[in-house]
Amino acid sequence: MIEIQVYLHTTLVMFSPDGETRKFNFQLPAGSSIKDLVESLKITRPADSLLFARNGKVADDTDILVDGDKVHIMMPISGG
């Protein structure tokens, strides 16, 4: 198992384990990807419609996570 820090932005906070916390620690099996994290949190948006940062750098949902990673999950901003 690995333990990572997860930061949920904007309305994604509703998918935190307690439904209110933006920043929390989360455990996943070793070898898990960001997509696996999204699925474990039961985020209902497809992973390819979200933005990710891992340890301060833009990340892809196929990135494999390691113990101690910090992952931000965000929705794209749109406007008109």
Side-chain angles (χ1 to χ4, degrees):
M1 294 295 281
I2 60 168
E3 186 168 2
I4 60 171
Q5 282 188 334
V6 179
Y7 301 80
L8 298 177
H9 294 262
T10 64
T11 58
L12 293 174
V13 71
M14 73 173 115
F15 296 106
S16 71
D18 68 5
E20 298 178 4
T21 307
R22 292 188 185 283
K23 175 183 169 185
F24 53 92
N25 291 340
F26 197 76
Q27 291 188 339
L28 290 164
S32 294
S33 67
I34 291 177
K35 185 176 181 179
D36 295 326
L37 170 62
V38 169
E39 291 172 358
S40 293
L41 293 173
K42 298 182 173 112
I43 295 176
T44 55
R45 296 182 61 95
D48 63 357
S49 72
L50 299 167
L51 300 175
F52 307 102
R54 178 178 166 221
N55 301 324
K57 297 182 181 178
V58 174
D60 188 70
D61 67 340
T62 59
D63 286 7
I64 301 300
L65 299 168
V66 297
D67 198 53
D69 275 347
K70 294 179 175 124
V71 179
H72 290 255
I73 304 175
M74 302 156 272
M75 293 179 31
I77 297 174
S78 64

